[in-house]
Amino acid sequence: MEKILNSQDSDAAISSKLIAIFPELPADQQEDLISQLAAQVSDKDYASLGNMLTNKATTVDVAEVLMTDLIDRPDSIRLPLLLDVARSPDHPKAEDAHDLLEVLLDVNYHNDWDAWAKKISEWLASHPEKMQTESL
């Protein structure tokens, strides 16, 4: 990990390499690294962090950092990932994700995931300015 961090590679390349070794790290090193990764990974490269967040095997502490980071991401990233987490009853952050969806969208469809998905699609279509930040 130290070798990657000290390399002369671009931030994107360093992030990519760190994400690749992330699952092999002990839990305490994962927790230390995830905050740095979350701050460094751009919106356009967020899929790998999104995969970590939605993975039920991700530790609670790592999921907490990713959920916090997700708040500052564009709706086009945030809302679908929150839905993925909320609809996974075994995920440690499922209830938090559901609560965030309820607050952000001002509705509560409980466990009707199709209704949530439809609402998210409608929301994204009617709020294009939120999606424009993704390209920044």
Side-chain angles (χ1 to χ4, degrees), residues 120-136:
I120 288 170
S121 292
E122 291 169 355
W123 175 266
L124 293 175
S126 66
H127 293 80
E129 71 281 355
K130 298 286 187 182
M131 294 175 67
Q132 288 174 0
T133 61
E134 184 175 23
S135 63
L136 297 178

Side-chain angles (χ1 to χ4, degrees), residues 70-85:
L70 196 58
I71 298 302
D72 293 327
R73 299 293 175 162
D75 286 341
S76 59
I77 294 171
R78 175 180 41 224
L79 295 175
L81 283 172
L82 286 173
L83 178 60
D84 286 346
V85 172

Side-chain angles (χ1 to χ4, degrees), residues 1 5 15 18-19 22-23 25-41 46 48-53 58-70 73:
M1 186 169 71
L5 288 170
S15 295
L18 290 173
I19 288 168
F22 188 86
L25 297 174
D28 62 327
Q29 288 182 348
Q30 286 182 347
E31 293 169 29
D32 291 341
L33 181 58
I34 197 61
S35 292
Q36 179 178 350
L37 280 172
Q40 209 169 323
V41 172
Y46 200 79
S48 55
L49 291 184
N51 289 337
M52 282 185 207
L53 175 61
T58 298
T59 66
V60 173
D61 292 331
V62 169
E64 181 67 34
V65 171
L66 291 171
M67 286 284 288
T68 301
D69 177 68
L70 196 58
R73 299 293 175 162

Side-chain angles (χ1 to χ4, degrees), residues 54-121:
T54 58
N55 185 338
K56 294 179 217 173
T58 298
T59 66
V60 173
D61 292 331
V62 169
E64 181 67 34
V65 171
L66 291 171
M67 286 284 288
T68 301
D69 177 68
L70 196 58
I71 298 302
D72 293 327
R73 299 293 175 162
D75 286 341
S76 59
I77 294 171
R78 175 180 41 224
L79 295 175
L81 283 172
L82 286 173
L83 178 60
D84 286 346
V85 172
R87 67 169 39 153
S88 300
D90 296 337
H91 195 287
K93 304 306 285 180
E95 187 175 334
D96 292 341
H98 182 277
D99 292 347
L100 280 169
L101 283 172
E102 185 177 348
V103 168
L104 292 169
L105 299 175
D106 198 28
V107 295
N108 188 353
Y109 296 115
H110 304 284
N111 293 336
D112 186 346
W113 307 119
D114 291 336
W116 279 112
K118 182 179 178 190
K119 179 65 175 182
I120 288 170
S121 292

